[in-house]
Amino acid sequence: RDKIPHLPEIHVESSLNLLLRRAKENRTVDIEEYETTGGYSALKKALNKFSPEDIVVLVEESTLRGRGGAGFPTGRKWRFALMNPPPRYLVCNADESEPGTFKDRIIIERDPHLLLEGMIIAGYALGAKEGYIYIRGEYPAGYLILENAIKEAKDRGYLGKNILGTDFSFDIKVYRGAGAYICGEETALLESLEGKRGHPRLRPPYPAQSGLYGKPTVVNNVETLSNIPIIVTYEAYFMNIGPSGFYGPKLFPVSGKVEKPGVYEATMDITLRELIEMAGGVKGGKQVKAVFAGALGVYREDELDMPMDYSPKGFGGTGTTIVLDEDDCVIDALLVVTQFFHHESCGKCTPCRIGTYEQHQILKKLKEGKATHKDIDYLRHLSQNIPANSICGLGFSAPNAVSDVLRKFPEEVEAHLKGKCRICG
Ligand code: L3W
Ligand code: SF4
């Protein structure tokens, strides 16, 4: 515990007190505090009251959707894995690296036993004996906190052989990434976990069919697994939390020009506008110019009334919200995003490797007032061709922000073409 680095001050607020119930203060909840506040009672309930199949049905009925960005139904993924013979593995994707995303780290650093409890219940439901947490290398404190929490859980009989005197045995190991965003893509993560270079595999087969060491593997995000104890605790009542089809709590990391950047817990019927208000509104009472939604794209002020759910008209993704105000330049923000994707492309697919580089170069020209309309046409061409000829989510989403800015902020693009941006001169 002495070795754990200082945790960063991150503002946390919740209207629900579910996922963030114990995470309001900037400290790690130890096993004693976790138990005395109801922790591990969902695991006890799962093992005493429910069969593994009962848990899978509960998760299916909850309609919980994966919180790692794609919103895939968790119960359906578990069911796919169960169609394949054991051994089965459970992998927690804690490689949180999306620009502006820092929600999973709050659970890991402040309430690690919530994640462990979720994983143990998931392991029981899936008939898995081993679980892995793949944590990004840039979360050194989180790594030590998880190692410590695993030791605490083993000492109390929640992990290891014959958990709580039953015939269910399950172990969790933590594996540190080395700073590559691509290792958050589930198949690259599995390659890395196997000790290989973190390059994505072609899908199908999906990990649920053939994952770690070719065995059926469920890869779930930290926040997804942390919802499992809540589902087991609340059972059917879980479906009273939030709007129909998008039940359960959701974490939203909000940053940029807001009064109170931080992680907010709410139901998914909250709108983007309400979320920004929850974060204290735009700094200094200014207007929102744009919201960058991580890899998903960019929204304008007149789109702020969309719900933060996974419907076709909803915000979706990881819930990442980076707010730009009226005095920010969207091309500046785009330069950061395109630099990120170029740097993080693993290079396996030529359109992604070269296309992300070219996107960034053209935007640099645009920023300097040296780009032409032909360059903008080429940017549009890249926005279609990079995703069409790439094999993984990074290539699919790398041009999202670029095509959104071209479509939604034509006046800013035109001003840069003329070398007359009001903000950057
Ligand atoms: C079995 C089938 N399983 C789909 C599983 C699949 C995966 C999940 C979702 O990328 C996106 C990416 C980022 N049988 C299946 C099946 N599955 N069909 O369902 O799959 P998919 O392909 O829709 O998405 P993905 O590969 O998981 C995730 C976007 O999310 N994103 C952010 C990511 C960043 C982070 C982070 O930093 N923490 O998560 C934001 O929008 O661009 O497109 O498990 O195996 N027939
Ligand atoms: Fe690598 Fe990009 Fe291809 Fe994904 S799309 S495998 S990141 S080159």
Side-chain angles (χ1 to χ4, degrees), residues 59-60 62-78 80 93 98 103 184 186 203 219-225 227 244-247 249-252 268 296 308-312 314-320:
V59 174
E60 283 175 327
S62 75
T63 72
L64 178 71
R65 284 163 179 259
R67 307 302 203 221
F72 192 83
T74 307
R76 198 183 305 163
K77 192 187 282 189
W78 289 17
F80 280 135
N93 187 344
E98 181 89 340
K103 63 182 182 67
E186 58 178 5
R203 299 181 312 180
V219 185
N220 282 148
N221 168 266
V222 171
E223 186 187 340
T224 313
L225 289 162
N227 263 286
S244 176
F246 305 107
Y247 300 124
K250 176 82 195 82
L251 299 184
F252 300 103
M268 280 183 264
L296 267 187
M308 300 296 288
D309 65 22
Y310 293 105
S311 65
F315 190 89
T318 49
T320 296

Side-chain angles (χ1 to χ4, degrees), residues 5-24:
H6 180 70
L7 299 180
E9 284 295 337
I10 297 177
H11 178 75
V12 156
E13 223 173 286
S14 172
S15 57
L16 298 170
N17 280 323
L18 291 165
L19 289 165
L20 297 183
R21 184 177 152 210
R22 303 180 189 85
K24 304 270 175 53

